[in-house]
Amino acid sequence: MGCVSSKQFKRAPGYEDPNILAKETTFSVNEVEALYELYKKISYSIFKDGLIHKEEFQLALFRNSNKKNLFADRIFDLFDLKCNGVIEFGEFVRSLSVFHPDTPMEEKITFAFRLYDLRGTGFIEREELKEMVLAILNESELLLSDDAVEQIVDQTFKQADLNDDGKIDPEEWKALASKNPALLKNMSLPYLKDITMAFPSFVLNSGASDEEL
C-alpha cells in the first residue's frame, strides 16, 4: 500500500524547479506550477509514466492519438529538445513559452522557421513548404486542388525568396512574417496568460485560411 502511495505523489521524470523555469521563460512561478498539473494530465493519459509520448501529445493537440499528421510531428520534434522521443516537463514549459502572448515576436518567428525547415538545413525549400501547407490543410480539414496548393506555394516563394536562390533563409522568413502577421497567428495561445485561472484543454489549432498560408 505504501508503495502505491509513493508512486502516486512521485515527481514526473524531468521535473525542474518552477523558479528556474520561470526565470528562463515568459511564465511566472504560479503559471509553471499550473502547467505542471497540465503536464501530468497529458503524460498520464496513455502510457502513465510521467513523460509525454508522441501519441499522448497528438491526443492532447488533436483528440486523436493515431492520426498521422506532419504538423503534429513537427511540433512534437521541436518540443523534444533532447531528441529522445519523449517530452519532459522542462522541455514542455520551455517550448510552450514560445506560444505565450507576451513572448517576443522574434522567438515566435524563429520557432515557426524551424517548424517549416523539415530537414534542418537552415533553409526552407519549396518542397518543405508544400509539405507543411498540405499538412496544415489536412489538419484543418480543408480540401484544395493541387493547382491551388501549388499557387499558395508559388506566391509564398515569390514574396519570400528575395535573392531567387530557390530557398528561404531566416532573414527572408523574418521579412515575410513581418509583412504577413497571419503566418504567426497560431504562434500565440491567449489562454496561457490565464493558465492559473482556468485549467484549459491543450489544443493547438493550426487552421488557417488560404490567404493566411
Side-chain angles (χ1 to χ4, degrees):
M1 186 171 67
C3 182
V4 173
S5 178
S6 65
K7 283 184 179 179
Q8 190 174 4
F9 295 101
K10 187 179 179 181
R11 293 290 191 190
Y15 177 82
E16 294 185 39
D17 185 341
N19 290 286
I20 294 175
L21 290 171
K23 288 179 181 178
E24 295 181 5
T25 67
T26 308
F27 297 115
S28 67
V29 174
N30 286 342
E31 288 171 335
V32 173
E33 290 173 345
L35 284 173
Y36 184 60
E37 297 304 313
L38 177 59
Y39 176 85
K40 286 192 295 184
K41 183 178 179 182
I42 298 173
S43 64
Y44 283 90
S45 61
I46 298 177
F47 295 100
K48 307 185 188 310
D49 61 359
L51 296 165
I52 297 178
H53 296 253
K54 184 170 288 189
E55 294 88 343
E56 292 170 322
F57 194 71
Q58 290 198 170
L59 181 64
L61 259 66
F62 303 120
R63 309 299 190 207
N64 187 333
S65 62
N66 298 314
K67 183 179 179 181
K68 295 294 183 184
N69 186 286
L70 178 62
F71 179 76
D73 285 347
R74 287 300 296 151
I75 294 286
F76 182 88
D77 289 345
L78 293 181
F79 271 54
D80 178 17
L81 301 174
K82 294 181 180 178
C83 300
N84 59 357
V86 292
I87 299 172
E88 298 177 0
F89 178 58
E91 294 174 312
F92 181 70
V93 175
R94 289 185 179 90
S95 299
L96 199 55
S97 178
V98 175
F99 294 87
H100 194 289
D102 293 339
T103 295
M105 194 57 63
E106 188 83 21
E107 292 183 35
K108 297 178 185 293
I109 291 173
T110 299
F111 188 94
F113 181 86
R114 292 172 59 214
L115 185 67
Y116 280 79
D117 179 16
L118 300 178
R119 293 161 187 82
T121 60
F123 299 95
I124 299 173
E125 298 178 4
R126 192 182 187 286
E127 191 59 33
E128 291 174 316
L129 179 63
K130 182 178 178 181
E131 286 181 49
M132 280 300 296
V133 168
L134 288 171
I136 291 172
L137 291 173
N138 177 56
E139 188 271 316
S140 307
E141 297 184 346
L142 293 173
L143 296 176
L144 293 182
S145 67
D146 290 342
D147 287 344
V149 172
E150 291 291 343
Q151 188 174 10
I152 291 172
V153 175
D154 287 342
Q155 288 178 347
T156 302
F157 254 83
K158 187 176 181 180
Q159 287 186 63
D161 186 16
L162 301 177
N163 59 7
D164 291 320
D165 63 352
K167 53 193 177 185
I168 302 171
D169 63 38
E171 287 304 312
E172 290 173 329
W173 176 260
K174 182 178 178 180
L176 177 68
S178 299
K179 293 177 184 176
N180 300 274
L183 277 173
L184 303 176
K185 173 185 173 184
N186 302 294
M187 291 302 300
S188 290
L189 300 176
Y191 72 66
L192 289 177
K193 293 189 75 169
D194 304 310
I195 191 79
T196 58
M197 301 296 292
F199 192 69
S201 58
F202 180 56
V203 178
L204 280 173
N205 185 358
S206 67
S209 66
D210 302 350
E211 294 79 18
E212 293 169 345
L213 289 168

